[in-house]
Amino acid sequence: MFARVTGTGGYLPGSPVSNDDLAARGVDTSDAWIVERTGIRFRHLAEAGETSCQMAEIAARAALEMAGTTADELDLIIVATSTPDYIFPSTACMLQGALGNKGATAFDVQAVCSGFIHALVIADKFIRSGSHQKALVVGAEVFSRILDWQERGTCVLFGDGAGAVALEASDAPGILSSALHADGSQVGILSVPGQVHGGKIWGDPFLRMEGQAVFKTAVRVLASVAEECCQAAGIHCGEVDWLVPHQANIRIIESTRRKMNLAPEKVVTTVERHGNTSAASVPLALNEAVRDGRIRRGQRVLLEGVGGGFTWGAALLVF
Ligand code: ACO
């Protein structure tokens, strides 16, 4: 029994916001600095009041439509987000309500930028166990709300959006192998170290990052988890048809690509136009490459993510 991707969907709010637009809004930066260090040229930012759940619903409906699945057929809904609408209930339950599904298992997963990979691997395990047949896995984020817009080293890196996949139990291959890891000794290099306490914010409600430590850790773990996943499926990294990596920084993506011995044209990149949309970045990139016809049925696709925690993971699938 495999979990097979039957549909993909994505949503980006509003119009693209360029690096020059950020500078014009008062961020002390330049297009040249951002492009050289990160490869980012544009990102999308949610309107005031636009929420992760609303964006998740649009992406989810597109994925379900491609899959030919109705919301009431779903028996599992997982949303990966670090920017949920509420403290509780989960964004997955809110999405379930918005889609009109009743009775499915529904919960959120919090693994920051590798959240979608974690959610996908969990859904794979539910489906392989035989307990669930039709799953919806979504990554949705409004990181613009947890950025310190006075801190130029972080606020230029992120964008908002949502991506979704529909999964189905199938005899034909689907997800072949996966790996998830974390290193809690690295909590401090990327975090939003605050909480709501007695009606007030306790600590710091904004994203803080040690950029160079994140960069080095990301490069190291992404190459090793790609290798681990390919080995588990009995192939060499160079044999994958597509790499769909987390879209944080073009230099991290390039470094992983070189270590995997992959041609540049086998890597799906959206970071230039989306920025880093955290848990939404991998399903958004997958959706783009599926819908423009690059990723085709029967091809091997390696998805991988890395994020705060530190967390990282990968899933190798036959599309
Ligand atoms: N515009 C102009 N100048 C800037 C900006 C900016 N937006 N941000 C920082 N600078 C300046 C700094 O003030 C500093 O100036 P100084 O030398 O006068 O003090 C200079 O640029 C260098 O700053 P560093 O922080 O040392 O720059 P670095 O080369 O490390 O690049 C970056 C920063 C791009 C964040 C890099 O560390 C990086 O890519 N790290 C990976 C982090 C990442 O991708 N995080 C995404 C989230 S994590 C994830 O998704 C896994």
Side-chain angles (χ1 to χ4, degrees):
M1 182 70 76
F2 292 96
R4 193 163 165 268
V5 174
T6 49
T8 65
Y11 173 75
L12 292 162
S15 321
V17 176
S18 72
N19 296 336
D20 287 337
D21 292 336
L22 292 185
R25 291 177 190 189
V27 180
D28 180 14
T29 191
S30 67
D31 179 62
W33 191 96
I34 300 172
V35 172
E36 188 197 322
R37 307 279 175 129
T38 71
I40 297 167
R41 291 178 191 274
F42 300 95
R43 76 285 293 142
H44 290 249
L45 303 176
E47 295 294 329
E50 195 169 19
T51 69
S52 289
C53 184
Q54 288 166 1
M55 296 194 297
E57 184 185 349
I58 299 169
R61 287 191 186 280
L64 292 177
E65 189 184 354
M66 186 191 285
T69 300
T70 56
D72 59 330
E73 291 176 88
L74 294 170
D75 51 16
L76 177 63
I77 300 171
I78 311 179
V79 175
T81 185
S82 301
T83 48
D85 291 20
Y86 289 177
I87 291 174
F88 73 78
S90 69
T91 306
C93 285
M94 296 172 83
L95 176 62
Q96 178 181 33
L99 292 173
N101 172 286
K102 283 192 179 149
T105 309
F107 57 90
D108 285 1
V109 164
Q110 216 280 39
V112 203
C113 302
S114 70
F116 176 79
I117 301 293
H118 278 69
L120 185 74
V121 172
I122 293 165
D124 176 48
K125 293 187 189 300
F126 271 73
I127 289 175
R128 275 179 179 252
S129 77
S131 67
H132 290 68
Q133 274 73 46
K134 290 197 178 186
L136 176 68
V137 180
V138 186
E141 302 279 18
V142 278
F143 259 50
S144 59
R145 306 223 170 108
I146 53 167
L147 298 174
D148 178 351
W149 287 95
Q150 307 302 315
E151 194 182 85
R152 63 182 182 172
T154 50
C155 70
V156 302
L157 304 175
F158 295 90
D160 302 330
V165 301
L167 290 174
E168 214 170 298
S170 165
D171 294 335
I175 296 174
L176 300 175
S177 63
S178 61
L180 299 177
H181 296 287
D183 175 1
S185 72
Q186 301 295 320
V187 163
I189 64 172
L190 181 56
S191 63
V192 180
Q195 58 180 271
V196 175
H197 185 102
K200 295 197 171 68
I201 293 163
W202 204 20
D204 182 348
F206 295 123
L207 182 149
R208 304 298 175 197
M209 179 178 75
E210 289 176 31
Q212 287 175 14
V214 168
F215 191 99
K216 283 183 201 144
T217 311
V219 164
R220 178 170 52 78
V221 299
L222 284 173
S224 77
V225 81
E227 179 71 37
E228 178 185 353
C229 221
C230 290
Q231 254 183 28
I235 66 165
H236 297 294
C237 284
E239 292 179 84
V240 306
D241 295 302
W242 293 101
L243 171 66
V244 184
H246 173 48
Q247 309 284 323
N249 181 314
I250 196 68
R251 294 186 297 143
I252 296 176
I253 294 173
E254 262 300 293
S255 163
T256 312
R257 177 193 72 74
R258 278 196 298 271
K259 287 189 177 164
M260 287 178 65
N261 222 356
L262 274 185
E265 57 274 17
K266 290 186 165 188
V267 184
V268 179
T269 57
T270 55
V271 66
E272 182 183 356
R273 288 166 291 110
H274 299 180
N276 180 350
T277 57
S278 188
S281 95
V282 170
L284 272 168
L286 177 67
N287 178 57
E288 217 177 80
V290 166
R291 287 187 184 259
D292 69 19
R294 276 178 289 168
I295 295 182
R296 297 190 304 276
R297 287 281 166 213
Q299 292 186 320
R300 286 191 195 117
V301 183
L302 183 72
L303 311 177
E304 59 174 12
V306 59
F310 221 68
T311 58
W312 63 99
L316 178 68
L317 57 89
V318 174
F319 183 68

